[in-house]
Amino acid sequence: MNRIRLLAAGTVLMFAIGAVAQQTTTSPDVHAAAVAPVEQHLKVLSDKLGLTADQQDKARPILQEMHDGSQKLNEDQSLTPDQRHEGMVPLFMKADKALREILTDDQKKQLDAMEAQMQGGSHDNPHGTTAPPPGD
C-alpha cells in the first residue's frame, strides 16, 4: 500500500512540477523558473495541510531535492520513459518519508486523504481500478 500511495503522491507532484515548469519556461530568469515549482508545491502543501512557517522551512529543501532529481531524470534522454518512472520512485519515497517526519498526525491523515483523492479513490491497486479501502 505504501508504494502505491507514494507513486500516487509522486504522480501528483510531477504533474504540479510539470504544469509550473511549462508556465515558467518562457521566463528569462532561469533561477526563478527552477524555484517556482518548488515554491508552488510548497504553497499547495501549506494551504492543504496548514503547514507552519517552521514546517515550510523544513519542507522546502525536501521538495527542492525531489524536484532537482526528477528534473535530472526527465532530461536524461538515454533513459526510456519506464526507466525514468522507475528512477523517480525512490525520489518520491524519500521525499514522502522526509515530509511525514515534519508533519503532525492530523496533517499526515490529511496528506493520506489528498493522495487517495489524487489517485482517484483507488487504494493498493497499480492498475488504476477501484479497490476497497483497507479495513479501518
Side-chain angles (χ1 to χ4, degrees):
M1 181 172 108
N2 265 348
R3 188 165 196 197
I4 298 303
R5 184 182 68 204
L6 294 172
L7 287 173
T11 302
V12 170
L13 299 175
M14 288 308 301
F15 176 74
I17 289 169
V20 174
Q22 286 179 349
Q23 293 172 355
T24 59
T25 54
T26 58
S27 171
D29 185 355
V30 175
H31 181 68
V35 173
V38 173
E39 291 303 317
Q40 184 168 349
H41 187 187
L42 182 60
K43 182 179 179 347
V44 169
L45 288 177
S46 295
D47 291 347
K48 299 280 186 179
L49 303 178
L51 298 181
T52 65
D54 184 52
Q55 287 174 315
Q56 290 177 36
D57 290 342
K58 291 177 181 176
R60 188 173 285 108
I62 295 167
L63 298 175
Q64 186 67 54
E65 181 179 348
M66 182 187 68
H67 174 265
D68 292 347
S70 61
Q71 187 174 12
K72 184 177 178 181
L73 282 169
N74 276 329
E75 292 171 355
D76 187 347
Q77 296 302 310
S78 69
L79 300 175
T80 67
D82 286 342
Q83 289 171 324
R84 286 187 195 113
H85 177 73
E86 285 300 315
M88 288 185 192
V89 171
L91 293 172
F92 299 148
M93 291 176 71
K94 182 179 178 182
D96 188 76
K97 181 180 178 185
L99 284 172
R100 287 176 182 278
E101 289 177 4
I102 64 172
L103 299 178
T104 66
D105 288 341
D106 286 341
Q107 289 170 324
K108 290 175 190 175
K109 289 177 186 176
Q110 290 174 316
L111 182 59
D112 289 339
M114 282 174 50
E115 290 172 353
Q117 181 182 9
M118 295 298 178
Q119 193 178 9
S122 65
H123 299 275
D124 256 283
N125 193 329
H127 303 294
T129 56
T130 303
D136 288 324

